[in-house]
Amino acid sequence: MTLLERTTTRPADAATLGGRLRAIVLAALAGLLAALISWVAVTVPVVVAWLADERSTTSLWQTAGIGVDLWAMAHRATVEVGDTAVVLAPLLLTLVPLLACWYAVGQVVVDRPEVRGEVHDVQGWRSAWAALGAGELLAFLLGYLGSGLLLCSLAGLGQAPVDVSSAVPGLVLVPLVAIGLSLWREHRRQRHPTFDRGLSWLELHTPVLFRRGLRPAFQALGILLTGALLAVVALLVVRFDRVLTLYEALDAGAVGTTVLTLGQALALPNVLVWALGWTSGGQVSVGTVHVGWAESTGGDLPLLPVLAALPEPGALPPGLWLAALLPVLAGAWLGFQSSRAAPRLASWWAKAQIALSACVCVTVIVLLLSWLALGGMTPGLLATVGTEPLRVAGLLGAELLGGALVTLTVLHLFRRRL
């Protein structure tokens, strides 16, 4: 190599390195801003309620601290109120930081592959890493995590500090889900050749049977959530008079009633997940109150109007075990779609592997949702609010797999005879 060649290639290498460094710094800054913007979005309604309520005795600084507490709770962090540790992630509130991360990832990382240059050939994991911008995505995650830990630490200056270590899983999970959604959207749009090459390499190195099971898995999950939604709506309609009676007894005023209703609305997806777990056979616990298929136990409940919809203590109507038909039917649909996803002359085992991968996918998602929806206050009578995640996942997985294998086997034998 001549001296002239060295002097002409080094500036180009320096420019490439500078561009990469700039992209990584920009991605980390995007993660930091996503956390701050989502915190502001959560805090603004709290400040508005503070200004509107004449009976409020908190200061503006304490109100901002409440906003941090709510933001941390959206990531399933533990908030310490006196000697009580409170854990409850309103899943509708969790959508606020999730959407902020999804938008930030799309604008700064996914939609700007030109800052990394064109990757023309993806042959291994290193070139795929560069094509997908994994360095920038990791910087975004770390920026969000660092900003979130700083916000949770600032909550310690107020009346309800946050257990910072308990926020780490949620602060990692939210940007990870947002990154996955952004990459999936780009895979559907196919607007950037660099990303397309990286995603194509990733797709080629993913087991075929697993990929074919994703669509049936999400369809089965949609059936489960729809059935759980219908169960929750039916219960609220039947018990609506009791809910209104409790509202009147509380007499919280216009602002208090609005805040109480909004808070319950934010936790409605949690109730939906609990109903899904109940249909699989897991009992719903609200402190000392347990609702199963056979009976509902008595106990003390917090004064939340939505809890008035719970059944009266005692034996429940017979035949509620028929609720297990929902996951079995979802499994049957999963088996039907798995059979269609396989080639016509495929063996039973190949079809069963597609169904098995789909069942595992649904079970993992429900396990994660059950963990996120689980709450409680310790020490006290409300130590557990929700369903036991491992029990729900185990029962649901068995019911899905049973329905899928029976349907798949019947279809396979029928087609062989034809």
Side-chain angles (χ1 to χ4, degrees):
M1 181 180 290
T2 64
L3 181 61
L4 179 61
E5 289 175 338
R6 293 181 181 178
T7 56
T8 55
T9 55
R10 284 182 178 176
D13 294 340
T16 301
L17 181 60
R20 291 282 296 170
L21 183 60
R22 178 178 177 275
I24 291 176
V25 172
L26 186 62
L29 182 61
L32 187 148
L33 291 177
L36 293 178
I37 291 173
S38 60
W39 166 68
V40 171
V42 171
T43 304
V44 166
V46 178
V47 175
V48 171
W50 173 71
L51 293 173
D53 192 0
E54 298 178 352
R55 294 179 293 182
S56 177
T57 58
T58 60
S59 63
L60 180 60
W61 177 257
Q62 292 172 334
T63 303
I66 294 174
V68 176
D69 292 333
L70 290 176
W71 186 85
M73 290 179 68
H75 297 79
R76 207 181 182 276
T78 301
V79 178
E80 298 175 357
V81 184
D83 296 330
T84 304
V86 180
V87 180
L88 181 62
L91 295 183
L92 201 59
L93 187 63
T94 306
L95 282 179
V96 175
L98 179 61
L99 291 176
C101 287
W102 177 71
Y103 179 80
V105 171
Q107 292 296 315
V108 178
V109 182
V110 176
D111 284 344
R112 302 189 69 232
E114 68 277 359
V115 298
R116 299 188 303 276
E118 187 80 11
V119 179
H120 298 282
D121 190 19
V122 177
Q123 295 293 338
W125 67 268
R126 290 187 178 181
S127 54
W129 176 283
L132 293 174
E136 290 85 341
L137 296 176
L138 180 60
F140 176 87
L141 190 151
L142 293 177
Y144 187 87
L145 176 62
S147 181
L149 293 177
L150 179 60
L151 282 174
C152 293
S153 300
L154 291 177
L157 302 176
Q159 295 179 333
V162 176
D163 184 358
V164 178
S165 61
S166 66
V168 173
L171 292 175
V172 173
L173 180 63
V174 168
L176 273 180
V177 173
I179 289 171
L181 292 176
S182 298
L183 293 178
W184 176 256
R185 183 190 64 173
E186 178 54 35
H187 177 65
R188 299 294 299 272
R189 294 190 306 176
Q190 294 187 350
R191 292 177 52 183
H192 302 293
T194 299
F195 265 110
D196 294 341
R197 294 186 182 96
L199 291 172
S200 297
W201 183 90
L202 189 63
E203 183 176 359
L204 288 174
H205 288 77
T206 302
V208 176
L209 298 180
F210 175 77
R211 285 191 277 116
R212 289 177 177 173
L214 288 179
R215 184 182 294 273
F218 285 107
Q219 291 175 348
L221 185 62
I223 294 174
L224 291 171
L225 291 176
T226 302
L229 177 62
L230 293 176
V232 171
V233 171
L235 187 61
L236 289 176
V237 169
V238 171
R239 300 284 183 172
F240 190 67
D241 292 338
R242 296 184 62 191
V243 174
L244 288 182
T245 301
L246 189 53
Y247 262 114
E248 294 173 357
L250 287 175
D251 190 21
V255 177
T257 301
T258 302
V259 172
L260 183 61
T261 303
L262 180 60
Q264 293 176 109
L266 293 176
L268 278 180
N270 298 59
V271 180
L272 189 65
V273 175
W274 300 340
L276 193 158
W278 179 83
T279 60
S280 68
Q283 66 177 9
V284 179
S285 301
V286 185
T288 56
V289 176
H290 306 287
V291 181
W293 284 349
E295 64 176 357
S296 175
T297 62
D300 297 324
L301 291 173
L303 293 178
L304 293 176
V306 70
L307 295 180
L310 290 175
E312 295 285 352
L316 296 177
L320 286 182
W321 58 268
L322 292 174
L325 289 177
L326 176 63
V328 172
L329 289 176
W333 176 259
L334 191 152
F336 172 71
Q337 292 296 328
S338 299
S339 179
R340 293 183 59 186
R344 186 175 183 84
L345 300 179
S347 64
W348 177 90
W349 176 237
K351 299 174 183 178
Q353 288 182 75
I354 297 176
L356 179 60
S357 64
C359 290
V360 171
C361 182
V362 175
T363 303
V364 170
I365 292 176
V366 171
L367 175 64
L368 185 60
L369 288 176
S370 299
W371 174 75
L372 285 172
L374 183 64
M377 299 173 61
T378 53
L381 299 177
L382 289 174
T384 302
V385 179
T387 54
E388 186 179 348
L390 291 177
R391 178 178 175 81
V392 168
L395 291 172
L396 180 65
E399 292 161 357
L400 283 174
L401 187 60
L405 291 181
V406 170
T407 304
L408 188 149
T409 303
V410 171
L411 290 175
H412 182 73
L413 294 176
F414 179 74
R415 288 177 180 176
R416 284 191 62 183
R417 289 196 173 188
L418 290 179

